[in-house]
Amino acid sequence: MAPPIQASTSGTADRQTLKQPLLKQDAEISTMVPPTRPSQSRPDRQKSVKKTLLNKTRGRSRHMTREEGRIRATWVYISTCTAVMGTASLGFWMGYTSPVQQQIVDSLNLTVSEFSLFGSLITVGAMLGSVISGKIGDWLGRKGAMLVACLPIIVGSSLIAFAQSRVPLYIGRFLTGTGGGIVSFVVPVYIAEIAPRHLRGTLGSMQQFAVTVGIVLAYLGGLFLNWRYLAAAGTLPCFLCFIGLTVIPESPRWLASREKKEELEAALQKLRGPQYDISPEVREMEQMVEASKLEPSAKFTDLFSKRLTRPLLAGVGLQFLQQFSGINGVMLYASAIFSSAGISNANAASLALAILQVVMTLAAAGLMDKAGRRLLLMVSGSGMALSCFLVGFSFYLRNVLSDNYSSGMDIFIDILALASLLVYIAAFSLGLGPVPWVVIAEVFPAKVKGVAGSLATLVNWSSAWMVTLTFNIVFNWSAAGSFWIFSLVCVFAVIFVALFVPETKGRTLEQIEASFR
Protein backbone atom coordinates (compact mmCIF):
# COMPACT_ATOMS: atom_id res chain seq x y z
CA MET A 1 0.00 0.00 0.00
CA ALA A 2 2.95 2.30 0.56
CA PRO A 3 3.97 2.81 -3.10
CA PRO A 4 0.53 3.97 -4.31
CA ILE A 5 0.31 6.46 -1.41
CA GLN A 6 3.74 7.89 -2.29
CA ALA A 7 2.76 8.31 -5.96
CA SER A 8 -0.42 10.18 -5.01
CA THR A 9 1.51 12.55 -2.76
CA SER A 10 4.04 13.27 -5.51
CA GLY A 11 1.27 14.02 -8.01
CA THR A 12 -0.34 16.46 -5.62
CA ALA A 13 2.99 18.22 -5.09
CA ASP A 14 3.52 18.49 -8.83
CA ARG A 15 0.09 19.99 -9.33
CA GLN A 16 0.75 22.54 -6.56
CA THR A 17 4.07 23.47 -8.19
CA LEU A 18 2.38 23.99 -11.57
CA LYS A 19 -0.38 26.09 -10.04
CA GLN A 20 1.99 28.57 -8.31
CA PRO A 21 3.11 30.53 -11.43
CA LEU A 22 -0.47 30.54 -12.69
CA LEU A 23 -1.70 31.96 -9.40
CA LYS A 24 1.05 34.59 -9.49
CA GLN A 25 0.11 35.56 -13.04
CA ASP A 26 -3.57 35.83 -12.05
CA ALA A 27 -2.60 38.09 -9.15
CA GLU A 28 -0.67 40.40 -11.51
CA ILE A 29 -3.58 40.57 -13.91
CA SER A 30 -5.97 41.31 -11.05
CA THR A 31 -3.91 44.40 -10.15
CA MET A 32 -4.38 45.66 -13.70
CA VAL A 33 -8.03 44.74 -14.24
CA PRO A 34 -10.43 44.96 -11.30
CA PRO A 35 -12.84 42.08 -10.64
CA THR A 36 -16.25 42.52 -12.22
CA ARG A 37 -19.61 41.39 -10.98
CA PRO A 38 -21.81 39.28 -13.26
CA SER A 39 -24.33 42.11 -13.47
CA GLN A 40 -21.71 44.66 -14.55
CA SER A 41 -22.26 45.80 -18.14
CA ARG A 42 -19.44 46.03 -20.71
CA PRO A 43 -19.29 49.88 -20.69
CA ASP A 44 -19.06 49.77 -16.89
CA ARG A 45 -16.24 47.21 -17.07
CA GLN A 46 -14.40 49.34 -19.64
CA LYS A 47 -14.79 52.40 -17.44
CA SER A 48 -13.49 50.46 -14.44
CA VAL A 49 -10.47 49.16 -16.38
CA LYS A 50 -9.67 52.64 -17.71
CA LYS A 51 -9.94 54.14 -14.21
CA THR A 52 -7.51 51.54 -12.87
CA LEU A 53 -5.00 52.23 -15.65
CA LEU A 54 -5.20 56.00 -15.11
CA ASN A 55 -4.88 55.69 -11.32
CA LYS A 56 -1.69 53.64 -11.78
CA THR A 57 -0.25 56.37 -13.99
CA ARG A 58 -1.28 59.24 -11.70
CA GLY A 59 0.15 57.49 -8.66
CA ARG A 60 3.76 57.50 -9.86
CA SER A 61 6.14 59.92 -8.21
CA ARG A 62 6.93 63.24 -9.89
CA HIS A 63 10.49 63.12 -8.55
CA MET A 64 13.33 61.70 -10.59
CA THR A 65 14.06 58.16 -9.49
CA ARG A 66 17.51 56.64 -8.97
CA GLU A 67 16.96 54.55 -12.09
CA GLU A 68 16.16 57.67 -14.15
CA GLY A 69 19.46 59.14 -12.97
CA ARG A 70 21.20 56.38 -14.93
CA ILE A 71 19.81 57.55 -18.25
CA ARG A 72 22.46 58.18 -20.90
CA ALA A 73 20.72 60.80 -23.04
CA THR A 74 23.30 61.07 -25.82
CA TRP A 75 20.82 60.11 -28.53
CA VAL A 76 18.18 62.39 -27.01
CA TYR A 77 20.55 65.33 -27.50
CA ILE A 78 21.50 64.24 -31.03
CA SER A 79 17.84 63.78 -31.96
CA THR A 80 16.90 67.18 -30.50
CA CYS A 81 19.70 68.94 -32.42
CA THR A 82 18.57 67.25 -35.62
CA ALA A 83 14.92 68.20 -35.11
CA VAL A 84 15.59 71.87 -34.31
CA MET A 85 17.45 72.31 -37.60
CA GLY A 86 13.99 72.64 -39.13
CA THR A 87 12.99 75.42 -36.75
CA ALA A 88 16.36 77.13 -37.25
CA SER A 89 15.47 77.27 -40.94
CA LEU A 90 12.11 78.81 -40.02
CA GLY A 91 13.87 81.47 -37.93
CA PHE A 92 16.27 82.15 -40.79
CA TRP A 93 13.41 82.83 -43.18
CA MET A 94 11.59 84.98 -40.64
CA GLY A 95 14.67 87.19 -40.38
CA TYR A 96 15.62 87.01 -44.07
CA THR A 97 13.64 90.03 -45.28
CA SER A 98 15.16 92.51 -42.82
CA PRO A 99 18.73 92.77 -44.21
CA VAL A 100 17.91 92.23 -47.93
CA GLN A 101 14.87 94.44 -48.43
CA GLN A 102 16.60 97.15 -50.45
CA GLN A 103 18.61 94.64 -52.51
CA ILE A 104 15.49 92.73 -53.61
CA VAL A 105 13.52 95.92 -54.32
CA ASP A 106 16.33 97.26 -56.52
CA SER A 107 17.08 93.95 -58.24
CA LEU A 108 13.49 93.06 -59.21
CA ASN A 109 12.02 96.58 -59.31
CA LEU A 110 9.48 95.87 -56.60
CA THR A 111 7.28 98.49 -54.99
CA VAL A 112 7.05 98.77 -51.21
CA SER A 113 3.63 97.09 -51.22
CA GLU A 114 4.92 94.23 -53.41
CA PHE A 115 7.82 93.63 -51.03
CA SER A 116 5.44 93.81 -48.07
CA LEU A 117 3.34 91.10 -49.72
CA PHE A 118 6.49 89.01 -50.17
CA GLY A 119 7.32 89.40 -46.50
CA SER A 120 3.82 88.50 -45.26
CA LEU A 121 3.48 85.32 -47.32
CA ILE A 122 5.57 83.34 -44.85
CA THR A 123 2.80 83.64 -42.24
CA VAL A 124 0.14 82.67 -44.80
CA GLY A 125 2.15 79.58 -45.74
CA ALA A 126 2.70 78.77 -42.07
CA MET A 127 -1.07 78.84 -41.47
CA LEU A 128 -1.49 76.16 -44.14
CA GLY A 129 1.42 74.16 -42.71
CA SER A 130 -0.05 74.31 -39.22
CA VAL A 131 -3.41 72.96 -40.44
CA ILE A 132 -1.84 69.86 -42.02
CA SER A 133 0.98 69.36 -39.49
CA GLY A 134 -1.03 67.29 -37.01
CA LYS A 135 -2.42 64.89 -39.62
CA ILE A 136 0.97 64.41 -41.24
CA GLY A 137 2.56 63.79 -37.84
CA ASP A 138 -0.09 61.18 -36.99
CA TRP A 139 0.02 59.43 -40.38
CA LEU A 140 3.74 59.40 -41.17
CA GLY A 141 5.22 59.68 -37.70
CA ARG A 142 7.22 62.59 -36.30
CA LYS A 143 10.29 61.81 -38.41
CA GLY A 144 8.18 61.49 -41.54
CA ALA A 145 6.53 64.85 -40.88
CA MET A 146 9.90 66.57 -40.42
CA LEU A 147 11.10 65.05 -43.66
CA VAL A 148 8.00 66.31 -45.48
CA ALA A 149 8.50 69.79 -43.96
CA CYS A 150 12.06 70.05 -45.27
CA LEU A 151 10.98 69.59 -48.90
CA PRO A 152 8.94 72.82 -49.36
CA ILE A 153 11.60 74.80 -47.50
CA ILE A 154 14.34 73.57 -49.85
CA VAL A 155 12.19 74.12 -52.96
CA GLY A 156 11.09 77.55 -51.74
CA SER A 157 14.66 78.60 -50.94
CA SER A 158 15.77 77.58 -54.43
CA LEU A 159 12.92 79.49 -56.08
CA ILE A 160 13.84 82.66 -54.21
CA ALA A 161 17.56 82.26 -54.95
CA PHE A 162 16.95 81.99 -58.73
CA ALA A 163 13.89 84.27 -58.99
CA GLN A 164 13.85 86.69 -61.91
CA SER A 165 10.35 88.04 -61.28
CA ARG A 166 7.75 88.42 -58.55
CA VAL A 167 5.87 85.14 -59.06
CA PRO A 168 8.65 82.65 -58.13
CA LEU A 169 9.63 84.99 -55.32
CA TYR A 170 6.11 84.82 -53.88
CA ILE A 171 5.76 81.08 -54.38
CA GLY A 172 9.12 80.45 -52.73
CA ARG A 173 8.23 82.58 -49.72
CA PHE A 174 4.89 80.79 -49.34
CA LEU A 175 6.56 77.36 -49.51
CA THR A 176 9.15 78.22 -46.86
CA GLY A 177 6.28 79.30 -44.63
CA THR A 178 4.40 76.05 -45.26
CA GLY A 179 7.38 73.96 -44.20
CA GLY A 180 7.89 76.25 -41.21
CA GLY A 181 4.28 75.81 -40.12
CA ILE A 182 4.72 72.03 -40.10
CA VAL A 183 7.96 72.02 -38.08
CA SER A 184 6.66 74.59 -35.60
CA PHE A 185 4.26 71.94 -34.25
CA VAL A 186 5.94 68.61 -35.06
CA VAL A 187 9.37 69.48 -33.64
CA PRO A 188 8.26 70.36 -30.07
CA VAL A 189 6.00 67.29 -30.03
CA TYR A 190 8.87 65.04 -31.12
CA ILE A 191 11.22 66.50 -28.51
CA ALA A 192 8.62 66.13 -25.74
CA GLU A 193 8.00 62.50 -26.72
CA ILE A 194 11.66 61.43 -26.75
CA ALA A 195 12.95 63.39 -23.73
CA PRO A 196 13.00 61.97 -20.18
CA ARG A 197 10.75 64.01 -17.93
CA HIS A 198 13.58 65.77 -16.07
CA LEU A 199 14.99 67.12 -19.37
CA ARG A 200 11.76 67.74 -21.28
CA GLY A 201 11.40 71.43 -20.45
CA THR A 202 15.04 72.26 -21.19
CA LEU A 203 15.10 70.36 -24.48
CA GLY A 204 11.65 71.65 -25.46
CA SER A 205 13.00 75.20 -25.20
CA MET A 206 15.55 74.38 -27.90
CA GLN A 207 12.88 74.95 -30.56
CA GLN A 208 12.55 78.64 -29.69
CA PHE A 209 16.31 78.88 -29.19
CA ALA A 210 16.87 77.53 -32.72
CA VAL A 211 14.38 80.06 -34.14
CA THR A 212 16.26 82.95 -32.52
CA VAL A 213 19.61 81.60 -33.73
CA GLY A 214 18.17 81.38 -37.25
CA ILE A 215 17.07 85.03 -37.09
CA VAL A 216 20.52 86.17 -35.96
CA LEU A 217 22.22 84.14 -38.71
CA ALA A 218 19.98 85.79 -41.30
CA TYR A 219 20.86 89.24 -39.93
CA LEU A 220 24.58 88.47 -39.91
CA GLY A 221 24.52 86.76 -43.31
CA GLY A 222 22.81 89.80 -44.79
CA LEU A 223 25.86 91.89 -43.88
CA PHE A 224 28.15 89.80 -46.12
CA LEU A 225 26.05 87.97 -48.73
CA ASN A 226 24.00 89.00 -51.73
CA TRP A 227 20.28 88.26 -51.32
CA ARG A 228 20.47 85.30 -53.74
CA TYR A 229 23.40 83.67 -51.93
CA LEU A 230 21.70 84.32 -48.62
CA ALA A 231 18.56 82.53 -49.89
CA ALA A 232 20.69 79.57 -51.00
CA ALA A 233 22.24 79.45 -47.54
CA GLY A 234 18.73 78.98 -46.15
CA THR A 235 18.73 75.39 -47.45
CA LEU A 236 21.66 74.28 -45.27
CA PRO A 237 19.70 73.63 -42.02
CA CYS A 238 17.24 71.43 -43.91
CA PHE A 239 20.01 69.39 -45.52
CA LEU A 240 21.54 68.84 -42.07
CA CYS A 241 18.10 67.78 -40.82
CA PHE A 242 17.80 65.34 -43.75
CA ILE A 243 21.09 63.70 -42.83
CA GLY A 244 20.20 63.46 -39.15
CA LEU A 245 16.78 61.93 -39.82
CA THR A 246 18.46 58.87 -41.31
CA VAL A 247 19.99 57.90 -37.94
CA ILE A 248 17.79 59.26 -35.14
CA PRO A 249 14.97 57.08 -33.71
CA GLU A 250 11.26 57.62 -34.21
CA SER A 251 9.16 58.87 -31.30
CA PRO A 252 8.54 55.93 -28.92
CA ARG A 253 5.10 57.25 -28.02
CA TRP A 254 4.05 57.39 -31.67
CA LEU A 255 5.31 53.80 -32.09
CA ALA A 256 3.31 52.81 -29.00
CA SER A 257 0.16 54.34 -30.51
CA ARG A 258 0.74 52.20 -33.61
CA GLU A 259 1.35 49.09 -31.44
CA LYS A 260 4.84 48.53 -32.87
CA LYS A 261 6.28 47.06 -29.70
CA GLU A 262 9.62 45.83 -31.05
CA GLU A 263 10.37 49.16 -32.72
CA LEU A 264 9.15 50.99 -29.60
CA GLU A 265 11.54 49.08 -27.34
CA ALA A 266 14.47 49.51 -29.76
CA ALA A 267 13.88 53.27 -30.08
CA LEU A 268 13.45 53.80 -26.33
CA GLN A 269 16.52 51.72 -25.49
CA LYS A 270 18.58 53.80 -27.91
CA LEU A 271 17.29 57.02 -26.35
CA ARG A 272 17.82 55.93 -22.73
CA GLY A 273 21.10 54.06 -23.07
CA PRO A 274 21.97 50.33 -23.14
CA GLN A 275 22.12 49.94 -19.32
CA TYR A 276 18.75 51.53 -18.57
CA ASP A 277 15.70 49.40 -17.71
CA ILE A 278 13.03 50.66 -20.10
CA SER A 279 10.31 48.23 -19.02
CA PRO A 280 8.48 50.62 -16.61
CA GLU A 281 8.38 53.37 -19.23
CA VAL A 282 7.19 50.94 -21.92
CA ARG A 283 4.49 49.67 -19.55
CA GLU A 284 3.32 53.21 -18.83
CA MET A 285 3.03 54.01 -22.54
CA GLU A 286 1.16 50.79 -23.24
CA GLN A 287 -1.25 51.44 -20.37
CA MET A 288 -2.16 54.84 -21.80
CA VAL A 289 -2.64 53.27 -25.24
CA GLU A 290 -4.94 50.65 -23.67
CA ALA A 291 -6.88 53.39 -21.87
CA SER A 292 -7.23 55.32 -25.14
CA LYS A 293 -8.58 52.22 -26.89
CA LEU A 294 -11.52 52.20 -24.50
CA GLU A 295 -12.61 55.57 -25.89
CA PRO A 296 -14.23 56.24 -29.26
CA SER A 297 -12.13 57.51 -32.16
CA ALA A 298 -11.17 61.15 -31.85
CA LYS A 299 -12.97 63.77 -33.95
CA PHE A 300 -12.53 67.52 -34.25
CA THR A 301 -15.66 68.09 -32.18
CA ASP A 302 -14.07 66.10 -29.33
CA LEU A 303 -11.73 69.04 -28.76
CA PHE A 304 -14.64 70.91 -27.23
CA SER A 305 -15.64 68.15 -24.82
CA LYS A 306 -15.56 68.91 -21.09
CA ARG A 307 -12.54 66.66 -20.55
CA LEU A 308 -10.39 68.66 -23.00
CA THR A 309 -11.51 72.13 -21.92
CA ARG A 310 -8.52 72.74 -19.63
CA PRO A 311 -5.71 71.51 -21.92
CA LEU A 312 -7.26 73.18 -24.98
CA LEU A 313 -7.74 76.48 -23.16
CA ALA A 314 -4.17 76.39 -21.83
CA GLY A 315 -2.55 75.43 -25.14
CA VAL A 316 -4.53 77.66 -27.48
CA GLY A 317 -4.71 80.56 -25.02
CA LEU A 318 -0.94 80.71 -24.60
CA GLN A 319 -0.40 80.69 -28.37
CA PHE A 320 -2.85 83.57 -28.77
CA LEU A 321 -1.32 85.61 -25.94
CA GLN A 322 2.22 84.98 -27.18
CA GLN A 323 1.49 86.78 -30.43
CA PHE A 324 -0.81 89.50 -29.12
CA SER A 325 1.86 90.47 -26.62
CA GLY A 326 3.31 92.19 -29.70
CA ILE A 327 6.56 90.28 -30.24
CA ASN A 328 6.36 89.92 -34.02
CA GLY A 329 5.33 93.53 -34.46
CA VAL A 330 8.29 94.67 -32.36
CA MET A 331 10.82 92.42 -34.13
CA LEU A 332 9.53 93.15 -37.64
CA TYR A 333 9.49 96.91 -37.15
CA ALA A 334 12.35 97.16 -34.65
CA SER A 335 14.39 99.52 -36.80
CA ALA A 336 11.41 101.83 -37.35
CA ILE A 337 10.60 101.77 -33.61
CA PHE A 338 14.16 102.66 -32.69
CA SER A 339 14.25 105.45 -35.29
CA SER A 340 10.97 106.88 -34.00
CA ALA A 341 12.32 106.70 -30.47
CA GLY A 342 15.29 108.84 -31.55
CA ILE A 343 17.99 106.12 -31.53
CA SER A 344 20.47 106.90 -34.29
CA ASN A 345 21.91 103.46 -35.14
CA ALA A 346 18.65 101.52 -35.47
CA ASN A 347 20.13 98.53 -37.34
CA ALA A 348 22.74 97.92 -34.64
CA ALA A 349 20.04 98.16 -31.97
CA SER A 350 17.90 95.62 -33.89
CA LEU A 351 20.81 93.17 -34.05
CA ALA A 352 21.34 93.66 -30.32
CA LEU A 353 17.69 92.72 -29.74
CA ALA A 354 18.09 89.51 -31.76
CA ILE A 355 21.29 88.50 -29.94
CA LEU A 356 19.69 89.22 -26.55
CA GLN A 357 16.77 87.00 -27.54
CA VAL A 358 19.19 84.12 -28.20
CA VAL A 359 20.95 84.56 -24.84
CA MET A 360 17.75 84.82 -22.80
CA THR A 361 16.08 81.86 -24.55
CA LEU A 362 19.12 79.78 -23.63
CA ALA A 363 18.78 80.99 -20.03
CA ALA A 364 15.10 79.98 -20.07
CA ALA A 365 16.09 76.49 -21.21
CA GLY A 366 18.29 76.13 -18.14
CA LEU A 367 15.49 77.27 -15.82
CA MET A 368 12.57 75.38 -17.40
CA ASP A 369 12.94 72.18 -15.39
CA LYS A 370 13.99 73.98 -12.20
CA ALA A 371 11.62 76.94 -11.87
CA GLY A 372 8.70 75.33 -13.71
CA ARG A 373 6.52 76.52 -16.59
CA ARG A 374 4.01 78.62 -14.63
CA LEU A 375 6.58 80.68 -12.72
CA LEU A 376 8.55 81.50 -15.87
CA LEU A 377 5.35 82.52 -17.67
CA MET A 378 4.20 84.82 -14.87
CA VAL A 379 7.63 86.45 -14.43
CA SER A 380 7.85 86.85 -18.20
CA GLY A 381 4.38 88.40 -18.53
CA SER A 382 5.01 90.79 -15.63
CA GLY A 383 8.32 91.95 -17.09
CA MET A 384 6.79 92.44 -20.53
CA ALA A 385 3.84 94.40 -19.11
CA LEU A 386 6.14 96.81 -17.25
CA SER A 387 8.56 97.24 -20.16
CA CYS A 388 5.74 97.83 -22.69
CA PHE A 389 4.28 100.47 -20.42
CA LEU A 390 7.67 102.21 -20.17
CA VAL A 391 8.24 102.08 -23.94
CA GLY A 392 4.84 103.68 -24.43
CA PHE A 393 5.68 106.23 -21.74
CA SER A 394 8.89 107.16 -23.57
CA PHE A 395 6.91 107.86 -26.74
CA TYR A 396 4.37 109.81 -24.71
CA LEU A 397 7.11 112.00 -23.21
CA ARG A 398 8.63 112.65 -26.62
CA ASN A 399 5.25 113.76 -28.03
CA VAL A 400 4.28 115.89 -25.03
CA LEU A 401 7.70 117.54 -24.73
CA SER A 402 8.45 117.65 -28.47
CA ASP A 403 8.68 121.45 -28.56
CA ASN A 404 10.37 122.06 -25.25
CA TYR A 405 12.82 119.64 -23.68
CA SER A 406 16.50 119.78 -22.85
CA SER A 407 19.27 117.65 -24.32
CA GLY A 408 19.44 115.80 -21.00
CA MET A 409 15.77 114.86 -21.25
CA ASP A 410 16.32 113.77 -24.85
CA ILE A 411 19.08 111.37 -23.74
CA PHE A 412 16.91 110.10 -20.88
CA ILE A 413 14.02 109.30 -23.26
CA ASP A 414 16.37 107.48 -25.67
CA ILE A 415 17.84 105.39 -22.86
CA LEU A 416 14.37 104.64 -21.44
CA ALA A 417 13.09 103.44 -24.83
CA LEU A 418 16.15 101.29 -25.57
CA ALA A 419 16.41 99.79 -22.08
CA SER A 420 12.68 99.05 -21.96
CA LEU A 421 12.75 97.29 -25.33
CA LEU A 422 15.74 95.22 -24.23
CA VAL A 423 13.89 94.22 -21.05
CA TYR A 424 10.81 93.40 -23.14
CA ILE A 425 12.79 91.02 -25.37
CA ALA A 426 14.58 89.49 -22.38
CA ALA A 427 11.30 88.90 -20.53
CA PHE A 428 9.63 87.43 -23.63
CA SER A 429 12.53 85.05 -24.24
CA LEU A 430 12.49 83.92 -20.63
CA GLY A 431 8.91 82.61 -20.66
CA LEU A 432 6.26 83.64 -23.14
CA GLY A 433 8.55 82.82 -26.06
CA PRO A 434 9.58 79.18 -25.43
CA VAL A 435 7.05 77.93 -22.84
CA PRO A 436 3.85 77.93 -25.00
CA TRP A 437 5.53 75.52 -27.46
CA VAL A 438 6.60 73.26 -24.60
CA VAL A 439 3.08 73.33 -23.14
CA ILE A 440 1.24 72.38 -26.36
CA ALA A 441 3.58 69.42 -26.74
CA GLU A 442 2.75 68.30 -23.18
CA VAL A 443 -0.89 68.97 -22.34
CA PHE A 444 -2.81 67.49 -25.27
CA PRO A 445 -3.78 63.80 -24.94
CA ALA A 446 -2.12 61.50 -27.45
CA LYS A 447 -5.42 60.64 -29.13
CA VAL A 448 -6.15 64.26 -30.12
CA LYS A 449 -2.61 65.65 -30.12
CA GLY A 450 -2.50 65.98 -33.89
CA VAL A 451 -5.72 67.92 -34.37
CA ALA A 452 -5.40 69.91 -31.11
CA GLY A 453 -1.79 70.83 -31.85
CA SER A 454 -2.70 71.89 -35.38
CA LEU A 455 -5.43 74.15 -34.01
CA ALA A 456 -3.06 75.75 -31.47
CA THR A 457 -0.36 76.28 -34.12
CA LEU A 458 -2.92 77.76 -36.51
CA VAL A 459 -4.01 80.20 -33.80
CA ASN A 460 -0.37 81.20 -33.30
CA TRP A 461 0.34 81.89 -36.96
CA SER A 462 -2.98 83.58 -37.71
CA SER A 463 -2.47 85.81 -34.65
CA ALA A 464 1.05 86.61 -35.87
CA TRP A 465 -0.36 87.57 -39.26
CA MET A 466 -2.98 89.83 -37.66
CA VAL A 467 -0.41 91.55 -35.44
CA THR A 468 2.10 92.15 -38.24
CA LEU A 469 -0.70 93.37 -40.51
CA THR A 470 -2.11 95.90 -38.04
CA PHE A 471 0.90 96.93 -35.95
CA ASN A 472 2.22 99.57 -38.35
CA ILE A 473 -1.24 101.14 -38.64
CA VAL A 474 -1.76 101.26 -34.87
CA PHE A 475 1.82 102.44 -34.28
CA ASN A 476 1.37 105.35 -36.71
CA TRP A 477 -1.94 106.20 -35.05
CA SER A 478 -0.40 106.25 -31.57
CA ALA A 479 3.07 104.91 -30.78
CA ALA A 480 2.44 105.15 -27.05
CA GLY A 481 -1.05 103.66 -27.34
CA SER A 482 0.17 100.60 -29.29
CA PHE A 483 2.61 99.64 -26.53
CA TRP A 484 0.08 100.32 -23.78
CA ILE A 485 -2.30 97.90 -25.52
CA PHE A 486 0.47 95.27 -25.49
CA SER A 487 1.05 96.03 -21.81
CA LEU A 488 -2.61 95.28 -21.00
CA VAL A 489 -2.42 92.01 -22.96
CA CYS A 490 0.65 90.99 -20.93
CA VAL A 491 -1.17 91.75 -17.65
CA PHE A 492 -4.03 89.55 -18.83
CA ALA A 493 -1.48 86.84 -19.72
CA VAL A 494 -0.24 86.73 -16.11
CA ILE A 495 -3.82 86.35 -14.83
CA PHE A 496 -4.56 83.70 -17.47
CA VAL A 497 -1.53 81.62 -16.47
CA ALA A 498 -2.43 81.84 -12.78
CA LEU A 499 -5.96 80.60 -13.45
CA PHE A 500 -5.76 78.16 -16.34
CA VAL A 501 -2.25 76.85 -17.06
CA PRO A 502 -1.24 73.66 -15.17
CA GLU A 503 2.30 72.98 -13.95
CA THR A 504 3.82 70.09 -15.92
CA LYS A 505 7.34 70.09 -14.50
CA GLY A 506 8.53 66.68 -13.31
CA ARG A 507 5.59 64.73 -14.75
CA THR A 508 5.63 62.21 -17.57
CA LEU A 509 3.40 62.83 -20.58
CA GLU A 510 1.25 59.93 -19.42
CA GLN A 511 0.80 61.48 -15.96
CA ILE A 512 -0.15 64.82 -17.53
CA GLU A 513 -2.70 63.12 -19.77
CA ALA A 514 -4.13 61.12 -16.87
CA SER A 515 -4.55 64.29 -14.78
CA PHE A 516 -7.04 65.68 -17.31
CA ARG A 517 -9.23 62.54 -17.32
Side-chain angles (χ1 to χ4, degrees):
M1 295 296 292
I5 294 173
Q6 289 174 358
S8 175
T9 305
S10 174
T12 302
D14 290 342
R15 285 193 297 274
Q16 291 293 332
T17 303
L18 289 171
K19 285 174 68 178
Q20 285 178 0
L22 294 175
L23 291 170
K24 183 180 180 182
Q25 185 178 14
D26 289 341
E28 290 176 351
I29 293 173
S30 68
T31 64
M32 179 71 73
V33 182
T36 58
R37 295 184 298 273
S39 60
Q40 196 173 23
S41 65
R42 184 177 178 182
D44 290 337
R45 288 198 302 272
Q46 288 181 339
K47 186 175 180 180
S48 182
V49 170
K50 185 173 76 171
K51 184 177 180 180
T52 302
L53 293 169
L54 295 176
N55 285 338
K56 279 179 159 296
T57 300
R58 293 191 194 103
R60 293 190 176 94
S61 172
R62 295 190 187 187
H63 301 290
M64 188 175 73
T65 63
R66 181 178 297 179
E67 181 66 22
E68 286 175 322
R70 298 173 57 195
I71 290 176
R72 297 293 176 264
T74 303
W75 275 102
V76 174
Y77 296 131
I78 294 172
S79 301
T80 298
C81 290
T82 297
V84 299
M85 285 296 155
T87 52
S89 182
L90 170 61
F92 180 92
W93 282 106
M94 289 172 66
Y96 173 80
T97 53
S98 180
V100 301
Q101 177 173 350
Q102 198 57 49
Q103 293 181 38
I104 294 177
V105 168
D106 294 341
S107 180
L108 299 180
N109 296 317
L110 300 182
T111 64
V112 174
S113 60
E114 287 172 337
F115 184 84
S116 297
L117 176 61
F118 167 70
S120 68
L121 282 172
I122 191 170
T123 55
V124 178
M127 283 190 274
L128 173 63
S130 64
V131 170
I132 62 177
S133 60
K135 285 294 184 184
I136 294 175
D138 287 343
W139 290 340
L140 302 179
R142 315 314 187 202
K143 283 177 59 177
M146 286 187 279
L147 183 65
V148 168
C150 287
L151 296 176
I153 295 176
I154 291 173
V155 173
S157 302
S158 303
L159 285 172
I160 293 172
F162 293 101
Q164 298 297 326
S165 63
R166 293 185 298 273
V167 174
L169 198 71
Y170 292 162
I171 295 174
R173 184 72 168 170
F174 178 82
L175 288 175
T176 58
T178 302
I182 296 173
V183 297
S184 61
F185 167 65
V186 173
V187 169
V189 169
Y190 176 74
I191 294 172
E193 291 180 345
I194 66 170
R197 58 179 175 171
H198 63 283
L199 294 175
R200 196 175 62 241
T202 297
L203 295 178
S205 302
M206 290 298 103
Q207 149 146 341
Q208 185 67 17
F209 175 72
V211 170
T212 59
V213 169
I215 293 172
V216 170
L217 290 177
Y219 284 179
L220 291 175
L223 298 176
F224 307 104
L225 298 176
N226 175 274
W227 67 275
R228 294 187 186 276
Y229 291 116
L230 188 62
T235 62
L236 293 178
C238 285
F239 279 121
L240 292 174
C241 187
F242 258 124
I243 295 169
L245 286 171
T246 62
V247 296
I248 64 174
E250 178 57 271
S251 159
R253 286 173 173 83
W254 182 80
L255 293 170
S257 69
R258 292 298 184 271
E259 299 183 5
K260 299 182 178 182
K261 185 167 184 176
E262 291 184 5
E263 295 176 46
L264 157 64
E265 292 176 347
L268 194 58
Q269 196 71 72
K270 188 173 185 177
L271 290 165
R272 300 294 182 261
Q275 305 303 319
Y276 182 73
D277 180 14
I278 62 170
S279 55
E281 202 168 347
V282 170
R283 241 185 345 262
E284 189 173 27
M285 293 180 194
E286 290 178 337
Q287 285 172 7
M288 289 309 300
V289 170
E290 289 301 317
S292 296
K293 281 182 182 178
L294 300 175
E295 299 176 348
S297 300
K299 298 176 289 187
F300 181 78
T301 53
D302 291 340
L303 291 179
F304 306 101
S305 64
K306 185 178 180 180
R307 178 173 66 86
L308 292 176
T309 299
R310 286 177 60 210
L312 188 68
L313 183 62
V316 173
L318 284 178
Q319 295 295 325
F320 176 86
L321 291 168
Q322 181 196 67
Q323 291 303 323
F324 276 91
S325 69
I327 185 62
N328 272 321
V330 171
M331 294 303 294
L332 186 62
Y333 297 105
S335 295
I337 293 168
F338 283 129
S339 297
S340 299
I343 296 170
S344 56
N345 197 338
N347 288 332
S350 299
L351 183 59
L353 279 187
I355 294 173
L356 178 63
Q357 195 172 12
V358 172
V359 174
M360 292 306 298
T361 304
L362 192 59
L367 292 171
M368 192 77 67
D369 287 311
K370 295 182 176 67
R373 284 54 155 166
R374 281 166 51 87
L375 179 60
L376 285 181
L377 284 169
M378 287 191 281
V379 170
S380 172
S382 301
M384 291 172 70
L386 177 60
S387 56
C388 277
F389 175 80
L390 292 176
V391 173
F393 185 62
S394 69
F395 281 111
Y396 174 77
L397 287 178
R398 189 170 294 280
N399 290 333
V400 169
L401 304 175
S402 59
D403 296 328
N404 183 26
Y405 61 86
S406 63
S407 59
M409 179 59 73
D410 189 30
I411 294 172
F412 169 76
I413 293 173
D414 289 352
I415 293 174
L416 180 63
L418 177 59
S420 299
L421 278 171
L422 291 176
V423 171
Y424 172 84
I425 292 298
F428 174 83
S429 304
L430 191 65
L432 209 51
V435 175
W437 296 108
V438 174
V439 169
I440 67 166
E442 293 178 328
V443 299
F444 295 136
K447 198 151 192 171
V448 296
K449 184 166 285 189
V451 64
S454 292
L455 177 61
T457 310
L458 176 62
V459 167
N460 180 280
W461 282 108
S462 57
S463 299
W465 176 74
M466 291 171 63
V467 170
T468 54
L469 183 68
T470 59
F471 177 79
N472 214 21
I473 299 170
V474 178
F475 184 75
N476 289 330
W477 164 70
S478 172
S482 62
F483 279 94
W484 286 341
I485 291 171
F486 292 150
S487 180
L488 287 174
V489 172
C490 293
V491 170
F492 178 76
V494 175
I495 298 171
F496 177 85
V497 171
L499 294 177
F500 301 112
V501 178
E503 181 55 73
T504 56
K505 181 188 74 169
R507 304 165 76 184
T508 66
L509 294 182
E510 288 72 28
Q511 286 175 318
I512 296 168
E513 181 173 345
S515 69
F516 290 121
R517 292 173 181 260

